[in-house]
Amino acid sequence: MAKQICGILGRTADEDITTIALAAHLGISRNTVPVIAAKFALTKWDNGFRKYDVFRQVHGLEPLMMNTVLVSFKTAHSRAIGDGTCDTDNTAGRICLIDELSGIGNLASALWDQGLIHISDLAAEYGYAYDTFRKKLKSGDINLPPIKPIELSPNRVMYRPLDVVLWRRHGIVMNLPKATGSSSGSVHPPSTELSEQTSTRLSPPDEMKSAVFAAAIAATDKKSGFSAPPAHSPDGLHNPRP
């Protein structure tokens, strides 16, 4: 069954998680977790895997900086409420105009609970039956988010639901903070140009389009089964995350 596009919010930002919980988040079977853990260098500790490691090593994001980005993004896409006499810089007197973001208080928790969704399961969000969606992917008629998907294996190309919703419904992309290493590594801060978030449907570079569509077609053609992926390499199918 396809995963819900918008999940409920989590109670905590970080915690140790079981193999079953990790499998649910990644959208894979529990038997495949060891393969994925090896590919992304995830270490299993006494009490399980760590959420922050998953964000940094699988998603390529820094969870500790997500809420700063969320606040700035909400502010950039909000307007003053009331009679117009409130201070426009007062965040308490503003309302976010993007429904899918307005109820999120902890971005890391929200992204975790939503998990990852297989590219073929985006068909419903785009308003097509599976077969029609696949054909449109093949012809290049699907306007996928201009971000690097998470390729768990050649036949498991995944997206974060929130990224798809924001791009599909609003034509915007969140500038999420990128991680540069594991939990013990350093991270780059998010861009300071958060007020200049994309608000129109920008076309991704042709090279990225070709890579994404190639992965999409392969994923939909090979949806059944899960083969062990080759060793992760920066010279693989996709370009580095912009």
Side-chain angles (χ1 to χ4, degrees), residues 5 18-19 24 35-36 41 47 49 62-63 94-95 108 113-114 130 134 171 175 178 180 185 188 202 208 231 238:
I5 279 289
T18 64
T19 296
V35 176
I36 298 302
N47 296 322
F49 297 96
E62 175 47 53
R94 303 178 67 86
I95 184 171
D113 288 332
Q114 290 176 10
Y130 169 77
R134 179 190 171 282
N175 183 24
K178 305 300 187 294
T180 60
H188 287 309
L202 300 179
M208 175 179 280
H238 298 294

Side-chain angles (χ1 to χ4, degrees), residues 13-216:
D14 186 29
E15 61 188 45
D16 292 332
I17 54 172
T18 64
T19 296
I20 295 176
L22 177 59
H25 173 74
L26 298 178
I28 60 177
S29 71
R30 62 180 298 182
N31 294 333
T32 308
V33 168
V35 176
I36 298 302
K39 175 178 180 177
F40 291 97
L42 288 174
T43 300
K44 188 173 184 179
W45 304 89
D46 292 339
N47 296 322
F49 297 96
R50 295 176 179 174
K51 280 186 178 180
Y52 282 5
D53 287 344
V54 177
F55 274 119
R56 291 172 179 136
Q57 292 161 229
V58 178
H59 291 258
L61 302 176
E62 175 47 53
L64 293 177
M65 303 180 77
M66 284 186 186
N67 281 344
T68 299
V69 173
L70 177 65
V71 171
S72 297
F73 196 84
K74 281 184 174 182
T75 300
H77 294 277
S78 66
R79 62 175 296 178
I81 58 178
D83 58 6
T85 59
C86 65
D87 184 356
T88 56
D89 293 329
N90 179 11
T91 56
R94 303 178 67 86
I95 184 171
C96 179
L97 299 179
I98 302 176
D99 291 343
E100 294 81 7
L101 289 178
S102 60
I104 295 179
N106 187 308
L107 184 56
S109 292
L111 294 180
W112 180 267
D113 288 332
Q114 290 176 10
L116 297 179
I117 189 169
H118 192 281
I119 190 171
S120 63
D121 289 333
L122 303 182
E125 172 64 24
Y126 278 82
Y128 296 110
Y130 169 77
D131 288 340
T132 303
F133 183 75
R134 179 190 171 282
K135 291 177 182 178
K136 287 185 173 292
L137 273 177
K138 198 169 186 177
S139 64
D141 291 334
I142 296 297
N143 190 15
L144 293 170
I147 61 172
K148 179 185 175 183
I150 298 173
E151 188 178 349
L152 300 181
S153 81
N155 60 316
R156 296 299 292 179
V157 178
M158 316 296 282
Y159 279 88
R160 286 181 292 271
L162 185 61
D163 287 333
V164 176
V165 166
L166 292 178
W167 179 251
R168 166 67 176 165
R169 302 179 187 178
H170 306 284
I172 55 180
V173 177
M174 289 194 75
N175 183 24
L176 297 177
K178 305 300 187 294
T180 60
S182 62
S183 295
S184 59
S186 59
V187 297
H188 287 309
S191 170
T192 56
E193 299 177 354
L194 293 172
S195 62
E196 298 179 4
Q197 293 288 349
T198 306
S199 58
T200 58
R201 290 184 176 273
L202 300 179
S203 297
D206 291 339
E207 189 175 355
M208 175 179 280
K209 279 185 177 180
S210 298
V212 171
F213 288 138

